[in-house]
Amino acid sequence: MGVRLMVVDDHRLLAEALASALKLRGHRVLAAAAPAAGAAELVISRAPEVCLIGTATPAEPGTFDPVVRIKKERPQVAVVVLGPVPSPRGIAAAFAAGASGYVRHDERIEGVERALMKARAGEAAVAPALLQGAFSELLNPAAQPDDEGQRLLQMLTPREVEVLVRVADGEDTRLIAAGMGIAPSTARTHVQRVLMKLGVGSRLEAAALAARTGLLDRAGPIPAPVPTSPTPDSPEPDS
């Protein structure tokens, strides 16, 4: 007997293509929707047996908030996540939110169908190796490497972190120098060191990387401007 299901994904074309393929295989698709972030209300109102929900960022905070809500209000709905080649952290996040399975984006339609059937039957719909990695992450989160934002933060000195925050705030070299009480040439040197350590070629790229990895949230507020003016071109050591 076919599964009564819903397909949601941030990419509507993908959701509709999957829905069409599953319909051809005898399953009853109640809806194909996008984006995934707004799926909870639709799933709760339609109450399918299984919800197939796609994501490109399984390890990002908040990705599986819709899953948490679905399982809270419709615990009988099995959720299968369709995601990229995953890290254990991403799969662990999916299962911690209440998902019953995880299927890779490059899986054949037969594999997706098997996952839906297993999830409806109350089984874990995930490859054993992926499941083992997810359980290791859930049981020993402290043993896992730090995330990218934390890793990048540890590469920078406190002064370089402040420079990066100011760059992300849109300050030019003159404003950075004035705010930190250093010479413009010293400010330029700090900026170049930050770009080199982050492996980027421009201030815009540095700001985008810092925002994407959460580095700016960890950095905290920048100090108040230094009241005294520096001697021109007198370099200051990193602290």
Side-chain angles (χ1 to χ4, degrees), residues 88-120:
R89 184 169 298 182
I91 299 178
F95 276 91
S100 300
Y102 190 106
V103 182
R104 287 168 43 160
H105 272 144
D106 57 359
E107 181 62 77
R108 297 173 63 89
I109 190 64
E110 293 84 0
V112 176
E113 184 178 37
R114 283 194 299 269
L116 297 176
M117 301 292 286
K118 291 182 72 173
R120 184 179 66 175

PDB file of all heavy atoms in Angstrom, residues 88-120:
ATOM      1  N   PRO A  88      28.299  13.643  10.712  1.00  0.00           N
ATOM      2  CA  PRO A  88      27.548  13.052  11.826  1.00  0.00           C
ATOM      3  C   PRO A  88      26.758  14.091  12.606  1.00  0.00           C
ATOM      4  O   PRO A  88      25.674  13.812  13.098  1.00  0.00           O
ATOM      5  CB  PRO A  88      28.651  12.412  12.692  1.00  0.00           C
ATOM      6  CG  PRO A  88      29.733  12.095  11.720  1.00  0.00           C
ATOM      7  CD  PRO A  88      29.708  13.227  10.717  1.00  0.00           C
ATOM      8  N   ARG A  89      27.299  15.323  12.689  1.00  0.00           N
ATOM      9  CA  ARG A  89      26.606  16.365  13.446  1.00  0.00           C
ATOM     10  C   ARG A  89      25.260  16.710  12.819  1.00  0.00           C
ATOM     11  O   ARG A  89      24.274  16.933  13.506  1.00  0.00           O
ATOM     12  CB  ARG A  89      27.495  17.607  13.536  1.00  0.00           C
ATOM     13  CG  ARG A  89      26.922  18.730  14.387  1.00  0.00           C
ATOM     14  CD  ARG A  89      27.954  19.807  14.638  1.00  0.00           C
ATOM     15  NE  ARG A  89      29.082  19.276  15.384  1.00  0.00           N
ATOM     16  CZ  ARG A  89      30.116  19.996  15.771  1.00  0.00           C
ATOM     17  NH1 ARG A  89      30.177  21.277  15.470  1.00  0.00           N
ATOM     18  NH2 ARG A  89      31.111  19.456  16.444  1.00  0.00           N
ATOM     19  N   GLY A  90      25.209  16.743  11.473  1.00  0.00           N
ATOM     20  CA  GLY A  90      23.957  17.044  10.797  1.00  0.00           C
ATOM     21  C   GLY A  90      22.920  15.970  11.006  1.00  0.00           C
ATOM     22  O   GLY A  90      21.741  16.249  11.253  1.00  0.00           O
ATOM     23  N   ILE A  91      23.325  14.708  10.917  1.00  0.00           N
ATOM     24  CA  ILE A  91      22.391  13.605  11.148  1.00  0.00           C
ATOM     25  C   ILE A  91      21.952  13.585  12.603  1.00  0.00           C
ATOM     26  O   ILE A  91      20.784  13.365  12.914  1.00  0.00           O
ATOM     27  CB  ILE A  91      23.032  12.257  10.774  1.00  0.00           C
ATOM     28  CG1 ILE A  91      23.410  12.243   9.298  1.00  0.00           C
ATOM     29  CG2 ILE A  91      22.085  11.104  11.060  1.00  0.00           C
ATOM     30  CD1 ILE A  91      24.090  10.990   8.861  1.00  0.00           C
ATOM     31  N   ALA A  92      22.905  13.815  13.511  1.00  0.00           N
ATOM     32  CA  ALA A  92      22.554  13.848  14.932  1.00  0.00           C
ATOM     33  C   ALA A  92      21.512  14.928  15.210  1.00  0.00           C
ATOM     34  O   ALA A  92      20.566  14.710  15.968  1.00  0.00           O
ATOM     35  CB  ALA A  92      23.812  14.091  15.771  1.00  0.00           C
ATOM     36  N   ALA A  93      21.669  16.091  14.572  1.00  0.00           N
ATOM     37  CA  ALA A  93      20.709  17.177  14.762  1.00  0.00           C
ATOM     38  C   ALA A  93      19.334  16.771  14.256  1.00  0.00           C
ATOM     39  O   ALA A  93      18.306  17.089  14.869  1.00  0.00           O
ATOM     40  CB  ALA A  93      21.190  18.430  14.047  1.00  0.00           C
ATOM     41  N   ALA A  94      19.291  16.046  13.124  1.00  0.00           N
ATOM     42  CA  ALA A  94      18.006  15.601  12.572  1.00  0.00           C
ATOM     43  C   ALA A  94      17.314  14.644  13.524  1.00  0.00           C
ATOM     44  O   ALA A  94      16.109  14.780  13.820  1.00  0.00           O
ATOM     45  CB  ALA A  94      18.219  14.947  11.212  1.00  0.00           C
ATOM     46  N   PHE A  95      18.044  13.661  14.038  1.00  0.00           N
ATOM     47  CA  PHE A  95      17.437  12.687  14.948  1.00  0.00           C
ATOM     48  C   PHE A  95      17.087  13.314  16.295  1.00  0.00           C
ATOM     49  O   PHE A  95      16.081  12.962  16.909  1.00  0.00           O
ATOM     50  CB  PHE A  95      18.366  11.489  15.132  1.00  0.00           C
ATOM     51  CG  PHE A  95      18.223  10.471  14.038  1.00  0.00           C
ATOM     52  CD1 PHE A  95      19.016  10.538  12.906  1.00  0.00           C
ATOM     53  CD2 PHE A  95      17.274   9.468  14.115  1.00  0.00           C
ATOM     54  CE1 PHE A  95      18.890   9.620  11.885  1.00  0.00           C
ATOM     55  CE2 PHE A  95      17.127   8.539  13.101  1.00  0.00           C
ATOM     56  CZ  PHE A  95      17.931   8.603  11.983  1.00  0.00           C
ATOM     57  N   ALA A  96      17.926  14.238  16.755  1.00  0.00           N
ATOM     58  CA  ALA A  96      17.622  14.912  18.018  1.00  0.00           C
ATOM     59  C   ALA A  96      16.329  15.709  17.912  1.00  0.00           C
ATOM     60  O   ALA A  96      15.600  15.863  18.899  1.00  0.00           O
ATOM     61  CB  ALA A  96      18.780  15.829  18.414  1.00  0.00           C
ATOM     62  N   ALA A  97      16.032  16.213  16.719  1.00  0.00           N
ATOM     63  CA  ALA A  97      14.792  16.977  16.512  1.00  0.00           C
ATOM     64  C   ALA A  97      13.580  16.075  16.394  1.00  0.00           C
ATOM     65  O   ALA A  97      12.445  16.551  16.468  1.00  0.00           O
ATOM     66  CB  ALA A  97      14.925  17.839  15.259  1.00  0.00           C
ATOM     67  N   GLY A  98      13.800  14.771  16.182  1.00  0.00           N
ATOM     68  CA  GLY A  98      12.680  13.841  16.097  1.00  0.00           C
ATOM     69  C   GLY A  98      12.513  13.156  14.758  1.00  0.00           C
ATOM     70  O   GLY A  98      11.524  12.438  14.549  1.00  0.00           O
ATOM     71  N   ALA A  99      13.458  13.361  13.824  1.00  0.00           N
ATOM     72  CA  ALA A  99      13.351  12.713  12.516  1.00  0.00           C
ATOM     73  C   ALA A  99      13.498  11.200  12.654  1.00  0.00           C
ATOM     74  O   ALA A  99      14.160  10.701  13.559  1.00  0.00           O
ATOM     75  CB  ALA A  99      14.415  13.253  11.562  1.00  0.00           C
ATOM     76  N   SER A 100      12.861  10.486  11.721  1.00  0.00           N
ATOM     77  CA  SER A 100      12.944   9.023  11.704  1.00  0.00           C
ATOM     78  C   SER A 100      13.968   8.519  10.701  1.00  0.00           C
ATOM     79  O   SER A 100      14.290   7.329  10.698  1.00  0.00           O
ATOM     80  CB  SER A 100      11.571   8.420  11.348  1.00  0.00           C
ATOM     81  OG  SER A 100      10.594   8.794  12.283  1.00  0.00           O
ATOM     82  N   GLY A 101      14.444   9.396   9.824  1.00  0.00           N
ATOM     83  CA  GLY A 101      15.379   8.945   8.812  1.00  0.00           C
ATOM     84  C   GLY A 101      16.133  10.080   8.163  1.00  0.00           C
ATOM     85  O   GLY A 101      15.764  11.255   8.301  1.00  0.00           O
ATOM     86  N   TYR A 102      17.200   9.716   7.461  1.00  0.00           N
ATOM     87  CA  TYR A 102      18.021  10.681   6.716  1.00  0.00           C
ATOM     88  C   TYR A 102      18.424  10.013   5.411  1.00  0.00           C
ATOM     89  O   TYR A 102      19.011   8.933   5.402  1.00  0.00           O
ATOM     90  CB  TYR A 102      19.261  11.075   7.518  1.00  0.00           C
ATOM     91  CG  TYR A 102      20.044  12.242   6.949  1.00  0.00           C
ATOM     92  CD1 TYR A 102      19.997  13.489   7.547  1.00  0.00           C
ATOM     93  CD2 TYR A 102      20.822  12.096   5.796  1.00  0.00           C
ATOM     94  CE1 TYR A 102      20.701  14.562   7.025  1.00  0.00           C
ATOM     95  CE2 TYR A 102      21.528  13.157   5.264  1.00  0.00           C
ATOM     96  CZ  TYR A 102      21.463  14.395   5.886  1.00  0.00           C
ATOM     97  OH  TYR A 102      22.161  15.449   5.364  1.00  0.00           O
ATOM     98  N   VAL A 103      18.106  10.661   4.293  1.00  0.00           N
ATOM     99  CA  VAL A 103      18.424  10.148   2.970  1.00  0.00           C
ATOM    100  C   VAL A 103      19.256  11.193   2.243  1.00  0.00           C
ATOM    101  O   VAL A 103      18.931  12.381   2.267  1.00  0.00           O
ATOM    102  CB  VAL A 103      17.140   9.852   2.159  1.00  0.00           C
ATOM    103  CG1 VAL A 103      17.489   9.280   0.794  1.00  0.00           C
ATOM    104  CG2 VAL A 103      16.240   8.894   2.922  1.00  0.00           C
ATOM    105  N   ARG A 104      20.329  10.753   1.591  1.00  0.00           N
ATOM    106  CA  ARG A 104      21.180  11.687   0.864  1.00  0.00           C
ATOM    107  C   ARG A 104      20.500  12.179  -0.403  1.00  0.00           C
ATOM    108  O   ARG A 104      19.700  11.478  -1.022  1.00  0.00           O
ATOM    109  CB  ARG A 104      22.501  11.005   0.520  1.00  0.00           C
ATOM    110  CG  ARG A 104      23.406  10.823   1.704  1.00  0.00           C
ATOM    111  CD  ARG A 104      24.566   9.904   1.436  1.00  0.00           C
ATOM    112  NE  ARG A 104      25.203  10.121   0.147  1.00  0.00           N
ATOM    113  CZ  ARG A 104      26.435   9.713  -0.137  1.00  0.00           C
ATOM    114  NH1 ARG A 104      27.144   9.092   0.802  1.00  0.00           N
ATOM    115  NH2 ARG A 104      26.959   9.906  -1.319  1.00  0.00           N
ATOM    116  N   HIS A 105      20.858  13.422  -0.797  1.00  0.00           N
ATOM    117  CA  HIS A 105      20.290  14.017  -2.000  1.00  0.00           C
ATOM    118  C   HIS A 105      20.572  13.196  -3.252  1.00  0.00           C
ATOM    119  O   HIS A 105      19.797  13.237  -4.208  1.00  0.00           O
ATOM    120  CB  HIS A 105      20.867  15.435  -2.208  1.00  0.00           C
ATOM    121  CG  HIS A 105      20.086  16.498  -1.501  1.00  0.00           C
ATOM    122  ND1 HIS A 105      20.694  17.599  -0.919  1.00  0.00           N
ATOM    123  CD2 HIS A 105      18.759  16.647  -1.281  1.00  0.00           C
ATOM    124  CE1 HIS A 105      19.762  18.366  -0.370  1.00  0.00           C
ATOM    125  NE2 HIS A 105      18.588  17.821  -0.568  1.00  0.00           N
ATOM    126  N   ASP A 106      21.699  12.472  -3.252  1.00  0.00           N
ATOM    127  CA  ASP A 106      22.061  11.724  -4.448  1.00  0.00           C
ATOM    128  C   ASP A 106      21.510  10.294  -4.442  1.00  0.00           C
ATOM    129  O   ASP A 106      21.891   9.478  -5.277  1.00  0.00           O
ATOM    130  CB  ASP A 106      23.580  11.703  -4.635  1.00  0.00           C
ATOM    131  CG  ASP A 106      24.316  11.113  -3.426  1.00  0.00           C
ATOM    132  OD1 ASP A 106      23.649  10.740  -2.445  1.00  0.00           O
ATOM    133  OD2 ASP A 106      25.550  11.033  -3.469  1.00  0.00           O
ATOM    134  N   GLU A 107      20.618   9.994  -3.517  1.00  0.00           N
ATOM    135  CA  GLU A 107      20.000   8.668  -3.460  1.00  0.00           C
ATOM    136  C   GLU A 107      19.038   8.470  -4.635  1.00  0.00           C
ATOM    137  O   GLU A 107      18.393   9.411  -5.094  1.00  0.00           O
ATOM    138  CB  GLU A 107      19.242   8.504  -2.128  1.00  0.00           C
ATOM    139  CG  GLU A 107      18.585   7.157  -1.935  1.00  0.00           C
ATOM    140  CD  GLU A 107      19.591   6.023  -1.908  1.00  0.00           C
ATOM    141  OE1 GLU A 107      20.252   5.850  -0.864  1.00  0.00           O
ATOM    142  OE2 GLU A 107      19.707   5.343  -2.955  1.00  0.00           O
ATOM    143  N   ARG A 108      18.942   7.252  -5.141  1.00  0.00           N
ATOM    144  CA  ARG A 108      17.983   6.944  -6.193  1.00  0.00           C
ATOM    145  C   ARG A 108      16.574   6.949  -5.617  1.00  0.00           C
ATOM    146  O   ARG A 108      16.371   6.810  -4.406  1.00  0.00           O
ATOM    147  CB  ARG A 108      18.299   5.582  -6.816  1.00  0.00           C
ATOM    148  CG  ARG A 108      19.648   5.525  -7.510  1.00  0.00           C
ATOM    149  CD  ARG A 108      19.982   4.116  -7.950  1.00  0.00           C
ATOM    150  NE  ARG A 108      19.023   3.635  -8.928  1.00  0.00           N
ATOM    151  CZ  ARG A 108      19.142   3.803 -10.238  1.00  0.00           C
ATOM    152  NH1 ARG A 108      20.200   4.455 -10.718  1.00  0.00           N
ATOM    153  NH2 ARG A 108      18.239   3.337 -11.074  1.00  0.00           N
ATOM    154  N   ILE A 109      15.573   7.090  -6.493  1.00  0.00           N
ATOM    155  CA  ILE A 109      14.185   7.174  -6.032  1.00  0.00           C
ATOM    156  C   ILE A 109      13.786   5.909  -5.278  1.00  0.00           C
ATOM    157  O   ILE A 109      12.982   5.958  -4.339  1.00  0.00           O
ATOM    158  CB  ILE A 109      13.230   7.445  -7.223  1.00  0.00           C
ATOM    159  CG1 ILE A 109      11.823   7.765  -6.708  1.00  0.00           C
ATOM    160  CG2 ILE A 109      13.218   6.275  -8.186  1.00  0.00           C
ATOM    161  CD1 ILE A 109      11.732   9.028  -5.903  1.00  0.00           C
ATOM    162  N   GLU A 110      14.381   4.755  -5.648  1.00  0.00           N
ATOM    163  CA  GLU A 110      14.075   3.515  -4.931  1.00  0.00           C
ATOM    164  C   GLU A 110      14.531   3.601  -3.479  1.00  0.00           C
ATOM    165  O   GLU A 110      13.855   3.097  -2.572  1.00  0.00           O
ATOM    166  CB  GLU A 110      14.755   2.322  -5.612  1.00  0.00           C
ATOM    167  CG  GLU A 110      14.224   1.984  -6.994  1.00  0.00           C
ATOM    168  CD  GLU A 110      14.863   2.811  -8.098  1.00  0.00           C
ATOM    169  OE1 GLU A 110      15.745   3.669  -7.782  1.00  0.00           O
ATOM    170  OE2 GLU A 110      14.495   2.614  -9.270  1.00  0.00           O
ATOM    171  N   GLY A 111      15.684   4.256  -3.256  1.00  0.00           N
ATOM    172  CA  GLY A 111      16.182   4.416  -1.900  1.00  0.00           C
ATOM    173  C   GLY A 111      15.309   5.354  -1.080  1.00  0.00           C
ATOM    174  O   GLY A 111      15.068   5.126   0.108  1.00  0.00           O
ATOM    175  N   VAL A 112      14.836   6.422  -1.723  1.00  0.00           N
ATOM    176  CA  VAL A 112      13.920   7.346  -1.044  1.00  0.00           C
ATOM    177  C   VAL A 112      12.637   6.611  -0.671  1.00  0.00           C
ATOM    178  O   VAL A 112      12.123   6.746   0.451  1.00  0.00           O
ATOM    179  CB  VAL A 112      13.599   8.556  -1.949  1.00  0.00           C
ATOM    180  CG1 VAL A 112      12.568   9.459  -1.280  1.00  0.00           C
ATOM    181  CG2 VAL A 112      14.877   9.343  -2.254  1.00  0.00           C
ATOM    182  N   GLU A 113      12.126   5.819  -1.580  1.00  0.00           N
ATOM    183  CA  GLU A 113      10.890   5.074  -1.331  1.00  0.00           C
ATOM    184  C   GLU A 113      11.068   4.099  -0.165  1.00  0.00           C
ATOM    185  O   GLU A 113      10.193   3.994   0.707  1.00  0.00           O
ATOM    186  CB  GLU A 113      10.480   4.326  -2.591  1.00  0.00           C
ATOM    187  CG  GLU A 113       9.152   3.603  -2.462  1.00  0.00           C
ATOM    188  CD  GLU A 113       8.765   2.913  -3.760  1.00  0.00           C
ATOM    189  OE1 GLU A 113       9.667   2.385  -4.455  1.00  0.00           O
ATOM    190  OE2 GLU A 113       7.564   2.900  -4.071  1.00  0.00           O
ATOM    191  N   ARG A 114      12.198   3.387  -0.136  1.00  0.00           N
ATOM    192  CA  ARG A 114      12.445   2.456   0.975  1.00  0.00           C
ATOM    193  C   ARG A 114      12.490   3.184   2.313  1.00  0.00           C
ATOM    194  O   ARG A 114      11.965   2.697   3.319  1.00  0.00           O
ATOM    195  CB  ARG A 114      13.760   1.706   0.751  1.00  0.00           C
ATOM    196  CG  ARG A 114      13.683   0.586  -0.264  1.00  0.00           C
ATOM    197  CD  ARG A 114      14.910  -0.321  -0.187  1.00  0.00           C
ATOM    198  NE  ARG A 114      16.134   0.408  -0.466  1.00  0.00           N
ATOM    199  CZ  ARG A 114      16.656   0.537  -1.679  1.00  0.00           C
ATOM    200  NH1 ARG A 114      16.033   0.000  -2.726  1.00  0.00           N
ATOM    201  NH2 ARG A 114      17.787   1.205  -1.864  1.00  0.00           N
ATOM    202  N   ALA A 115      13.103   4.375   2.313  1.00  0.00           N
ATOM    203  CA  ALA A 115      13.182   5.153   3.551  1.00  0.00           C
ATOM    204  C   ALA A 115      11.793   5.560   4.030  1.00  0.00           C
ATOM    205  O   ALA A 115      11.495   5.516   5.227  1.00  0.00           O
ATOM    206  CB  ALA A 115      14.055   6.386   3.334  1.00  0.00           C
ATOM    207  N   LEU A 116      10.931   5.953   3.106  1.00  0.00           N
ATOM    208  CA  LEU A 116       9.568   6.341   3.476  1.00  0.00           C
ATOM    209  C   LEU A 116       8.807   5.170   4.083  1.00  0.00           C
ATOM    210  O   LEU A 116       8.095   5.315   5.081  1.00  0.00           O
ATOM    211  CB  LEU A 116       8.822   6.865   2.244  1.00  0.00           C
ATOM    212  CG  LEU A 116       9.384   8.126   1.579  1.00  0.00           C
ATOM    213  CD1 LEU A 116       8.591   8.454   0.319  1.00  0.00           C
ATOM    214  CD2 LEU A 116       9.368   9.304   2.545  1.00  0.00           C
ATOM    215  N   MET A 117       8.958   3.996   3.473  1.00  0.00           N
ATOM    216  CA  MET A 117       8.260   2.808   3.964  1.00  0.00           C
ATOM    217  C   MET A 117       8.762   2.422   5.358  1.00  0.00           C
ATOM    218  O   MET A 117       7.975   2.073   6.249  1.00  0.00           O
ATOM    219  CB  MET A 117       8.451   1.651   2.989  1.00  0.00           C
ATOM    220  CG  MET A 117       7.946   1.917   1.570  1.00  0.00           C
ATOM    221  SD  MET A 117       6.140   2.047   1.466  1.00  0.00           S
ATOM    222  CE  MET A 117       5.668   0.331   1.640  1.00  0.00           C
ATOM    223  N   LYS A 118      10.078   2.477   5.559  1.00  0.00           N
ATOM    224  CA  LYS A 118      10.641   2.126   6.863  1.00  0.00           C
ATOM    225  C   LYS A 118      10.202   3.115   7.934  1.00  0.00           C
ATOM    226  O   LYS A 118       9.876   2.726   9.055  1.00  0.00           O
ATOM    227  CB  LYS A 118      12.161   2.069   6.778  1.00  0.00           C
ATOM    228  CG  LYS A 118      12.706   0.925   5.948  1.00  0.00           C
ATOM    229  CD  LYS A 118      14.227   0.897   5.936  1.00  0.00           C
ATOM    230  CE  LYS A 118      14.782   0.446   7.267  1.00  0.00           C
ATOM    231  NZ  LYS A 118      16.255   0.253   7.229  1.00  0.00           N
ATOM    232  N   ALA A 119      10.191   4.405   7.577  1.00  0.00           N
ATOM    233  CA  ALA A 119       9.779   5.419   8.548  1.00  0.00           C
ATOM    234  C   ALA A 119       8.324   5.219   8.941  1.00  0.00           C
ATOM    235  O   ALA A 119       7.963   5.346  10.115  1.00  0.00           O
ATOM    236  CB  ALA A 119       9.990   6.812   7.962  1.00  0.00           C
ATOM    237  N   ARG A 120       7.468   4.910   7.973  1.00  0.00           N
ATOM    238  CA  ARG A 120       6.053   4.679   8.295  1.00  0.00           C
ATOM    239  C   ARG A 120       5.897   3.478   9.232  1.00  0.00           C
ATOM    240  O   ARG A 120       5.004   3.446  10.082  1.00  0.00           O
ATOM    241  CB  ARG A 120       5.243   4.454   7.021  1.00  0.00           C
ATOM    242  CG  ARG A 120       3.745   4.306   7.295  1.00  0.00           C
ATOM    243  CD  ARG A 120       2.936   4.112   6.039  1.00  0.00           C
ATOM    244  NE  ARG A 120       3.236   2.847   5.365  1.00  0.00           N
ATOM    245  CZ  ARG A 120       2.574   2.410   4.296  1.00  0.00           C
ATOM    246  NH1 ARG A 120       1.595   3.142   3.781  1.00  0.00           N
ATOM    247  NH2 ARG A 120       2.900   1.267   3.728  1.00  0.00           N
TER     248      ARG A 120
END
